[in-house]
Amino acid sequence: DADIVFRDLIMLMLSGFVTVAVLMLAHINPKAAASTAKDTAAPGNILVEANWPPDMDSDVDLWVQAPGDMPVGYSNKGGAVFNLLRDDLGKQLDLSGLNYESSYSRGIVPGEYTVNLHLYRNRAAVADVPVTVIVSSKPNADAPARQILMSKVDLMREGEERTVFRFKLTETGNLVSGSVNSLQRPLRSGSKS
């Protein structure tokens, strides 16, 4: 009889422990709170993004220049105004499969901005690499970004550097009417274009 009582006691204690453990699991790892738009808001005031087809093994470089600042691109990732946040090398060292580069500014300096693309390497060996460039602005960190410019450009050969946009902004990030053009201005040192 002592064996049966001992076995029953052990089983009751084990089932009580399992019940408490199961009830505690819901409180140990609570569900994550839904993220808000503010959590995913892009940094910076001027956002410049370039993307090209994900299946292309091409290294396209984004170059940007703010008024009175040095050009920012793969060999100079930061200036007083802009920072290059992603230097995409095509399929090389890329687990995401996406092809894009992006630069963000810290503040808005009134004056002329320049956005260039440079086809550094074309391992895909295609005749032209289509690249979409989008420029957005937001007057402060809490404001949503609004697209102010977009263009699709075809880069034809390795080493080609092409000015996609030259434009002027006011101190609040508004586009100056009539200021947009694509007159060539090399930003990359030693450009072949």
Side-chain angles (χ1 to χ4, degrees), residues 87-154:
D87 180 19
D88 197 304
L89 304 175
K91 290 186 178 180
Q92 182 181 353
L93 303 172
D94 191 355
L95 301 175
S96 72
L98 300 173
N99 288 327
Y100 70 94
E101 293 204 1
S102 56
S103 285
Y104 297 91
S105 74
R106 293 177 305 280
I108 300 173
V109 178
E112 186 178 68
Y113 290 77
T114 305
V115 177
N116 283 11
L117 292 175
H118 172 245
L119 182 55
Y120 184 79
R121 187 171 292 122
N122 186 8
R123 287 186 212 90
V126 293
D128 55 331
V129 178
V131 184
T132 301
V133 178
I134 298 171
V135 179
S136 303
S137 83
K138 54 185 189 173
N140 59 55
D142 297 329
R146 62 184 168 77
Q147 181 178 315
I148 57 173
L149 295 169
M150 185 190 93
S151 182
K152 293 183 181 186
V153 176
D154 289 329

Side-chain angles (χ1 to χ4, degrees), residues 12-125:
L12 284 172
M13 287 175 45
L14 179 62
S15 64
F17 176 74
V18 169
T19 303
V20 169
V22 169
L23 291 173
M24 292 297 292
L25 284 177
H27 299 287
I28 291 174
N29 190 13
K31 292 180 182 176
S35 65
T36 62
K38 188 171 180 165
D39 293 338
T40 58
N45 298 93
I46 307 297
L47 310 99
V48 183
E49 304 164 282
N51 61 70
W52 57 102
D55 56 337
M56 284 191 152
D57 191 12
S58 301
D59 181 356
V60 175
D61 292 320
L62 175 66
W63 284 87
V64 294
Q65 185 175 25
D69 198 9
M70 63 179 53
V72 171
Y74 75 89
S75 61
N76 179 35
K77 293 186 179 9
V81 178
F82 273 105
N83 280 92
L84 179 68
L85 293 187
R86 177 172 168 84
D87 180 19
D88 197 304
L89 304 175
K91 290 186 178 180
Q92 182 181 353
L93 303 172
D94 191 355
L95 301 175
S96 72
L98 300 173
N99 288 327
Y100 70 94
E101 293 204 1
S102 56
S103 285
Y104 297 91
S105 74
R106 293 177 305 280
I108 300 173
V109 178
E112 186 178 68
Y113 290 77
T114 305
V115 177
N116 283 11
L117 292 175
H118 172 245
L119 182 55
Y120 184 79
R121 187 171 292 122
N122 186 8
R123 287 186 212 90

